């Protein structure tokens, strides 16, 4: 209302120039608006890129486990007795068959002497000094020979009495007596043979008793066991290490009491549990790399020796045994170890720079540049090395992945590729020249 009043106050002649100026001002405002819109449009994001590489990698299954001795045995006493001497203690190295502990042999020696005397008494009945190694003829036993002689004499008497009786010169009673004597001599010979056979059997039983007594005497010397088979890959002599001493000198032992615990340190067995999903990948003979905390910079080579055919229904894992050579004794039985079971040496993987992978809110992805725009691809990471990482996903083999600037990107964001900045070398520092006072005077 005020404007119209002001318009009419000025009149047509005064208002016309003003209206024209206002129209020109309105036209000027409309032409400036598109220019502002162009200036506020998003600019392409500068990024650096790197090509996806295809490299051969080794596929491994990472596991942990416990190192155990190839043989871990607690040596016990086969006989009872008092400990006379302990020859080795914890930490000693002993060879198979080496003497470990001695028991008092007095009782064993007496038992051997008693059994030997009984054997001598039985052999004396047979007229022998020792048991024959071949089959023995009891007809040579003196008692049997004596019975045979008596039988022959009885037979001769019967023959003489029968001859006299046929000629009517002998009495019938004498013939019957001689025949009875012959029957008695025959029975005596059979009894002598049976007695000789029984004496021979008793001699052999007594000889076994002597052997038992001798073995009991031998058992008073407790020795390291002798393995029936040599571990695979071990060329030198097997050696035991004393892991624990369980007796003291003067102690009374019963049969079966433990005396020392021994362990074979080379090679060792690594027992580990592998998830069931890897059951088709693990095979006997596969190489295994073992690492322990006490030698962090070293890797020990082993091989899969045995695979348990059954799966634990609770943990859904199966047991794998790895043979680990330990010639220098750096590994300790009972220690904790990490292992990598090498399942494939010739696998091919997509490798990208490690800085190209973005992880956010549980999602792992990277960006590729296609026709000047960024596209995100969800991936899974695998093996990792110095400056690189393996990725698995719908990733083109010849793709260019964004290595810097990806935090500012989203799908379809325009990008411009720039070259990575090269660190400029510092210019050489030159010493300033001291002005000559004579020249300043000039």
């Amino acid at each position: 209302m005020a404007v119209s009043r002001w318009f009419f106050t000025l009149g047509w002649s005064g208002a016309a120039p003003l209206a024209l100026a206002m129209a020109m001002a309105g036209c000027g405002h409309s032409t400036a608006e598109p220019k502002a819109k162009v200036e506020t449009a998003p600019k392409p994001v500068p990024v650096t890129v790197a090509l996806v590489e295809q490299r051969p990698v080794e596929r491994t299954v990472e596991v942990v486990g416990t190192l155990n001795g190839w043989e871990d045995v607690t040596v016990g006493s086969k006989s009872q007795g008092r400990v006379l001497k302990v020859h080795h203690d914890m930490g000693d190295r002993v060879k198979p068959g080496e003497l470990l502990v001695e028991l008092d042999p007095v009782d064993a020696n007496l038992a051997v002497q008693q059994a030997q005397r009984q054997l001598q008494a039985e052999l004396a009945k047979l007229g022998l000094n020792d048991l024959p190694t071949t089959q023995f003829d009891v007809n040579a036993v003196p008692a049997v020979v004596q019975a045979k002689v008596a039988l022959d004499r009885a037979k001769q008497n019967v023959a003489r009495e029968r001859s006299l009786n046929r000629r009517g010169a002998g009495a019938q009673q004498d013939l019957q007596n001689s025949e009875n004597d012959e029957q008695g001599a025959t029975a005596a010979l059979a009894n002598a043979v049976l007695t000789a056979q029984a004496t021979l059997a008793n001699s052999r039983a007594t000889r076994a008793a002597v052997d038992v007594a001798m073995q009991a005497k031998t058992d008073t010397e407790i020795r390291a066991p002798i393995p029936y088979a040599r571990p695979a890959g071990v060329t030198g002599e097997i050696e035991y290490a004393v892991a624990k001493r369980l007796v003291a000198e003067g102690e009374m032992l019963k049969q079966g009491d433990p005396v020392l615990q021994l362990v074979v340190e080379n090679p060792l067995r690594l027992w580990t549990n592998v998830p069931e999903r890897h059951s088709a990948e693990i095979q006997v003979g596969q190489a295994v790399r073992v690492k322990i905390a006490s030698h962090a910079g070293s890797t020990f080579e082993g091989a899969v020796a045995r695979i348990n055919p059954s799966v634990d229904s609770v943990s859904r894992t199966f047991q794998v045994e790895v043979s680990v050579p330990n010639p220098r004794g750096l590994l300790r039985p009972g220690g904790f170890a990490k292992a990598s079971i090498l399942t494939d040496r010739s696998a091919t993987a997509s490798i990208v720079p490690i800085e190209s992978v973005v992880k956010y809110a549980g999602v792992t992805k990277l960006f590729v540049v296609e026709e000047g725009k960024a596209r995100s691809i969800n991936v899974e990471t695998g093996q990792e090395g110095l400056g690189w990482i393996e990725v698995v996903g719908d990733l083109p083999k010849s793709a260019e992945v964004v290595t810097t600037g990806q935090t500012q990107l989203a799908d379809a964001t325009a990008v411009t590729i720039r070259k990575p900045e090269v660190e400029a070398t510092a210019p050489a520092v030159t010493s300033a020249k001291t002005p000559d006072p004579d020249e300043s005077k000039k």
Side-chain angles (χ1 to χ4, degrees):
M1 191 68 174
V3 174
S4 57
R5 184 181 298 113
W6 170 74
F7 183 83
F8 284 111
T9 304
L10 291 176
W12 174 255
S13 58
L18 180 61
L20 181 59
M22 292 176 63
M24 291 178 64
C27 293
H29 177 73
S30 60
T31 56
E33 185 176 355
K35 186 175 181 181
K37 289 183 179 180
V38 172
E39 292 177 354
T40 59
K43 295 181 179 180
V45 177
V47 297
T48 58
V49 296
L51 291 175
V52 177
E53 297 183 23
Q54 302 297 319
R55 294 186 191 174
V57 295
E58 294 180 343
R59 299 295 184 191
T60 60
V61 176
E62 304 298 323
V63 293
V64 296
T66 302
L67 293 169
N68 296 272
W70 182 262
E71 292 291 347
D72 191 340
V73 58
T74 300
V75 180
S77 175
K78 288 184 63 178
S79 60
Q80 62 181 11
R82 182 176 61 87
V83 177
L84 185 65
K85 188 175 182 179
V86 179
H87 290 267
H88 293 282
D89 208 334
M90 182 187 66
D92 293 348
R93 268 61 180 178
V94 297
K95 301 184 183 304
E98 189 171 342
L99 183 61
L100 303 176
V101 177
E102 285 185 73
L103 302 181
D104 191 347
V106 173
D107 294 340
N109 290 335
L110 293 176
V112 170
Q113 293 177 9
Q114 183 181 15
Q116 287 175 342
R117 299 298 178 268
Q118 291 176 353
L119 176 61
Q120 290 175 358
E122 295 297 331
L123 292 176
K125 296 177 183 179
L126 300 174
L128 301 174
N129 294 324
D130 197 1
L131 282 175
T133 56
T134 59
Q135 189 172 358
F136 179 67
D137 185 9
V138 295
N139 292 322
V141 175
V144 176
V145 173
Q146 183 181 5
K148 282 185 176 182
V149 172
L151 178 59
D152 292 340
R153 185 183 302 113
K155 288 181 178 181
Q156 292 175 0
N157 291 335
V158 169
R160 184 174 58 253
E161 292 297 331
R162 285 176 180 172
S163 176
L164 291 173
N165 189 270
R166 283 194 297 269
R167 291 180 296 178
Q172 184 66 29
Q173 184 64 36
D174 293 338
L175 177 60
Q176 291 179 354
N177 290 339
S178 62
E179 290 177 348
N180 291 337
D181 291 342
E182 181 185 11
Q183 292 177 359
T186 302
L189 176 59
N191 182 61
V193 171
L194 292 176
T195 302
Q197 291 175 346
T199 304
L200 181 61
N202 289 335
S203 300
R204 289 171 177 166
T206 308
R207 179 56 180 269
V210 173
D211 294 339
V212 171
M214 291 293 293
Q215 183 61 48
K217 179 182 177 180
T218 303
D219 292 341
T220 59
E221 297 180 348
I222 305 175
R223 297 180 178 272
I226 300 176
Y228 71 92
R230 184 181 299 274
V234 177
T235 57
E237 189 174 4
I238 297 176
E239 191 176 55
Y240 287 97
V242 180
K244 189 180 295 185
R245 171 180 170 177
L246 303 171
V247 294
E249 294 179 357
E251 183 178 350
M252 288 297 299
L253 295 181
K254 296 181 295 183
Q255 186 175 7
D257 283 349
V259 293
L260 292 175
Q261 183 178 352
L262 306 179
V263 61
V264 176
E265 298 177 290
N266 181 34
L268 295 180
R269 303 176 192 259
L270 173 62
W271 289 345
T272 181
N273 292 325
V274 181
E276 181 184 5
R277 65 179 181 273
H278 298 296
S279 58
E281 305 173 33
I282 308 299
Q283 297 178 4
V284 174
Q286 288 176 335
V288 182
R289 299 187 182 102
V290 180
K291 292 186 177 182
I292 59 174
S294 58
H295 295 81
S298 301
T299 300
F300 302 89
E301 300 293 333
V304 176
R306 288 178 178 83
I307 301 174
N308 194 327
S310 62
V311 176
D312 187 354
S313 59
V314 177
S315 62
R316 301 302 178 187
T317 60
F318 61 96
Q319 190 179 41
V320 173
E321 179 183 303
V322 178
S323 175
V324 185
N326 187 31
R328 295 185 294 168
L330 300 179
L331 303 176
R332 300 292 183 91
F336 175 79
K338 296 180 179 180
S340 301
I341 303 176
L342 183 58
T343 58
D344 191 356
R345 293 180 180 271
S346 58
T348 302
S350 298
I351 304 300
V352 298
I354 195 169
E355 62 270 14
S356 65
V357 177
V358 179
K359 295 182 179 181
Y360 180 74
V363 177
T364 303
K365 63 181 180 179
L366 49 75
F367 289 90
V368 298
V369 176
E370 296 178 345
E371 299 179 354
K373 294 184 179 181
R375 180 169 71 92
S376 66
I377 300 176
N378 292 340
V379 295
E380 295 181 0
T381 57
Q383 297 188 33
E384 184 177 337
L386 183 61
W388 60 268
I389 190 170
E390 175 191 359
V391 292
V392 179
D394 187 15
L395 186 67
K397 292 184 178 180
S398 59
E400 292 181 328
V401 296
V402 177
T403 56
T404 60
Q406 61 267 50
T407 57
Q408 307 174 37
L409 301 180
D411 274 332
T413 301
V415 297
T416 177
I417 299 176
R418 62 180 178 84
K419 293 184 179 180
E421 295 181 359
V422 179
E423 295 183 0
T425 57
V429 178
T430 57
S431 57
K433 184 178 180 181
T434 305
D436 189 354
D438 297 334
E439 292 182 359
S440 59
K441 291 179 181 180
K442 293 178 182 179

